[in-house]
C-alpha cells in the first residue's frame, strides 16, 4: 500500500470513489452518445411539395399550381434509447422552389391537367417570391425543426416549428417514420390554410382571380445514416 494511503486512508478512499464516479459518468456519456444515430437527408430521393388552388369569379382563367422544394437539406439525430428525444431539421431556399414541375402535374389528375405557359409559371413564381407572399429577398431560407417521433412505423402527430418570414410558426403534422438498415424515411400529407402560415393568398383583378386559402402538402423524405 502507498505510504500516503497509510497516513491518510480516508483521502485515498475518497479519491478512489471519485475516480470510479468519473469512470461511470464517462461510460454513461459514451453509451448515450452511442445510442444517437445521425442521418443526412438524401435530396435526390426526397420530395416535399404543395398544391396551390385557384379561386375567385375568374378562376376559370387561371391554373392550379404545384410548388416543389428544389434543394432540400437537413439532418436527423435518432435517439434509440429515448425515441421522442430524437431531433431533426430541414432547410431550403425560397428562390430554388420549382413551380409547376410537369412530371408532378402529370400524377395529380384532372385538377392539374391544364398546361400553364412559361409566362404563367414565371408570373406565379414572381408573385410567390415577392413581398406579398414569401418575401424571398428579405427572408431567403425556410427552416423546419422538430423532435420525435414516439414510435416507428406508425402515423402519428408530430410537433414542428417552421421558421419563415422572420417568425416561428408552430404546427402539428402527421408523419410516419421508418428505419430499415441505414435508411430513414419520413412521409405524410396534410392541409393548411395560408393563415396557418401567417400569409395572405395572392389576389389580382380586385380579387376576381386569386389564390385559394387551402394548401395541400405532401412529403416523402429519405435520409441515410452518416459514417461515424
Amino acid at each position: 500500500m502507498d505510504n500516503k494511503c497509510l497516513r491518510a486512508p480516508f483521502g485515498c478512499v475518497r479519491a478512489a470513489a471519485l475516480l470510479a464516479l468519473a469512470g461511470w459518468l464517462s461510460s454513461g456519456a459514451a453509451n448515450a452518445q452511442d445510442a444517437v444515430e445521425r442521418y443526412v437527408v438524401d435530396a435526390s430521393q426526397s420530395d416535399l411539395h404543395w398544391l396551390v388552388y385557384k379561386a375567385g369569379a375568374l378562376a376559370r382563367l387561371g391554373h392550379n399550381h404545384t410548388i416543389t422544394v428544389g434543394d432540400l437539406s437537413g439532418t436527423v439525430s435518432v435517439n434509440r434509447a429515448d425515441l421522442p428525444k430524437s431531433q431533426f431539421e430541414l432547410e431550403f431556399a425560397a428562390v430554388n422552389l420549382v413551380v409547376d414541375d410537369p412530371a408532378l402535374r402529370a400524377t395529380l389528375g384532372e385538377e392539374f391537367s391544364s398546361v400553364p405557359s412559361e409566362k404563367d409559371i414565371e408570373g406565379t413564381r414572381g408573385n410567390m417570391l415577392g413581398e406579398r407572399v414569401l418575401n424571398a429577398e428579405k427572408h431567403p431560407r425556410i427552416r423546419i425543426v422538430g423532435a420525435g417521433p414516439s414510435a416507428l412505423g406508425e402515423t402519428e402527430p408530430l410537433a414542428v416549428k417552421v421558421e419563415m418570414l422572420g417568425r416561428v410558426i408552430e404546427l402539428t403534422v402527421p408523419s410516419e417514420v421508418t428505419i430499415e438498415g441505414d435508411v430513414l424515411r419520413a412521409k405524410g400529407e396534410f392541409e393548411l390554410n395560408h393563415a396557418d402560415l401567417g400569409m395572405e393568398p395572392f389576389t389580382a383583378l380586385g380579387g376576381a382571380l386569386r389564390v385559394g386559402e387551402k394548401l395541400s402538402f405532401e412529403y416523402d423524405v429519405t435520409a441515410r445514416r452518416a459514417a461515424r
Side-chain angles (χ1 to χ4, degrees):
M1 180 179 293
D2 193 307
N3 289 336
K4 292 181 180 179
C5 288
L6 288 174
R7 292 193 297 269
F10 293 109
C12 286
V13 169
R14 186 163 54 248
L18 289 173
L19 287 172
L21 177 61
W24 177 81
L25 289 174
S26 63
S27 174
N31 290 337
Q33 188 174 15
D34 289 343
V36 176
E37 301 169 349
R38 185 172 180 271
Y39 293 76
V40 178
V41 169
D42 183 345
S44 68
Q45 298 298 314
S46 298
D47 169 61
L48 170 55
H49 71 262
W50 57 94
L51 311 180
V52 181
Y53 300 90
K54 59 186 178 179
L58 297 179
R60 66 185 183 280
L61 302 179
H63 301 274
N64 295 329
H65 295 284
T66 69
I67 312 295
T68 306
V69 172
D71 64 340
L72 186 66
S73 63
T75 59
V76 184
S77 295
V78 177
N79 190 324
R80 288 285 192 173
D82 194 350
L83 202 57
K85 290 184 179 179
S86 301
Q87 297 180 329
F88 62 88
E89 63 175 78
L90 305 172
E91 190 173 7
F92 57 90
V95 73
N96 290 328
L97 292 170
V98 178
V99 177
D100 290 321
D101 174 26
L104 175 58
R105 291 184 68 89
T107 68
L108 296 174
E110 182 64 27
E111 285 187 301
F112 291 84
S113 61
S114 64
V115 181
S117 67
E118 287 298 320
K119 184 178 179 180
D120 293 330
I121 292 173
E122 285 307 309
T124 299
R125 177 179 171 80
N127 294 336
M128 175 185 68
L129 297 179
E131 291 183 6
R132 294 171 60 184
V133 185
L134 290 179
N135 199 356
E137 184 173 348
K138 186 174 181 180
H139 304 289
R141 301 197 69 79
I142 296 172
R143 186 167 175 259
I144 305 166
V145 300
S150 60
L152 296 176
E154 302 176 9
T155 299
E156 61 175 66
L158 202 63
V160 302
K161 294 181 179 180
V162 181
E163 300 175 9
M164 61 183 294
L165 293 170
R167 56 180 177 264
V168 177
I169 302 156
E170 296 186 5
L171 300 171
T172 301
V173 302
S175 185
E176 179 188 350
V177 180
T178 57
I179 299 177
E180 295 184 4
D182 291 335
V183 178
L184 179 149
R185 186 177 179 189
K187 59 181 180 178
E189 52 185 282
F190 55 96
E191 292 185 353
L192 295 174
N193 290 329
H194 277 76
D196 295 324
L197 296 171
M199 300 191 303
E200 294 185 7
F202 183 84
T203 63
L205 303 176
L209 181 58
R210 64 181 188 272
V211 172
E213 183 67 34
K214 182 180 73 171
L215 300 167
S216 298
F217 290 80
E218 185 171 347
Y219 66 94
D220 190 343
V221 177
T222 294
R224 301 187 185 280
R225 194 197 314 263
R228 289 184 180 274

